[in-house]
Amino acid sequence: MSEQPGQGDSGVGTSGRPDLSKRPDPNERTETPGRAELPERGGNQPSPWRPPGQGQGPRPVERLGWRALWLGAGAILITLFFFPVGLILGIAALVVGIKARRSARRQHSVAPGAIAGLVLGGIALAFSTFSLGLTMFLWPELSGYQTCVGKANTSTDEKACRDDYYPKIEKKLNLPEGSMSKYGNLF
C-alpha cells in the first residue's frame, strides 16, 4: 500500500482532518513532552509541582530555606553578644540548611535562603567556637580578674586588678607587654 501525498507521519490526511486509522495504542506508554526528566511518582507522594495560583504561601522546602537563613542571621548577631547561644543557633542553622537543600534536591525544587543560612551559620559557629576555646584557655585569668574587680571598691583597686591580671593574660597569649592596656576594656 502506498502513501498518498500529504499523508505522512503527521497523522493528518489530505483533507486536513486527523487520520483516525493511526490512533495511538492505549497500552503503549508515551512520554509527556517537557516532563521526561521528572522521576516517576508512585503511591501517595506529594507532587513537587503545583499549578500557578493554587495553594497559599510557600511550600515546606521554601520555609525550611528561609528558616535556615533566619537562624544563621540570628546566630551571627547573638554570637557578638553571647557566644554560647550563638554556637547553638549556628549548629541549628547548619542542620536546617542541609535539610532544606536535601529536600529541595529530592523534590526538584529550590530552597531560597538555605545556602545563605549555611554560610552565616558556619561563620557564627566558627566565631563561637573560637570564643569558647579562648575563654576556656584563659579561664583562670579571666575568672580571677572578674572576682578581683567585683571586690574592688575604688578605681585604684580596679587599677590594681588590671596591673595584676593583664600581664598574666599577655604572657599566656604571647602578646607584647602593655598591649592589654589598649584592649582591656573588652573584658
Side-chain angles (χ1 to χ4, degrees):
M1 181 164 132
S2 67
E3 279 190 44
Q4 296 177 1
Q7 212 177 20
D9 287 337
S10 66
V12 178
T14 56
S15 63
R17 293 190 196 141
D19 184 10
L20 299 178
S21 65
K22 292 190 174 185
R23 288 186 175 164
D25 183 14
N27 294 331
E28 181 182 313
R29 185 180 174 115
T30 60
E31 290 186 24
T32 306
R35 302 283 299 219
E37 64 275 356
L38 289 178
E40 290 296 320
R41 290 187 289 263
N44 52 4
Q45 288 181 327
S47 172
W49 178 83
R50 71 177 166 205
Q54 284 190 353
Q56 303 292 332
R59 291 182 286 178
V61 173
E62 293 172 358
R63 283 192 301 252
L64 270 178
W66 288 115
R67 192 172 296 142
L69 176 63
W70 284 109
L71 282 169
I76 287 281
L77 185 66
I78 290 178
T79 296
L80 298 174
F81 301 106
F82 191 61
F83 63 86
V85 174
L87 180 76
I88 293 167
L89 287 179
I91 292 171
L94 289 176
V95 168
V96 171
I98 290 170
K99 206 173 185 182
R101 294 282 298 153
R102 284 183 181 168
S103 295
R105 192 175 314 124
R106 200 175 325 115
Q107 296 179 9
H108 300 286
S109 181
V110 295
I115 293 177
L118 285 168
V119 170
L120 292 175
I123 291 169
L125 185 64
F127 187 71
S128 295
T129 304
F130 174 74
S131 298
L132 183 64
L134 186 63
T135 301
M136 290 173 54
F137 181 68
L138 294 175
W139 184 255
E141 289 81 9
L142 292 177
S143 63
Y145 175 72
Q146 291 296 327
T147 303
C148 182
V149 169
K151 293 179 181 176
N153 292 326
T154 64
S155 60
T156 308
D157 293 340
E158 289 179 12
K159 186 176 179 337
C161 293
R162 283 193 298 270
D163 292 341
D164 188 29
Y165 283 98
Y166 280 9
K168 292 178 184 178
I169 294 171
E170 290 169 352
K171 184 178 179 187
K172 198 161 190 180
L173 294 176
N174 292 326
L175 296 174
E177 191 174 317
S179 60
M180 284 294 295
S181 300
K182 295 179 186 176
Y183 306 109
N185 293 335
L186 294 175
F187 295 105

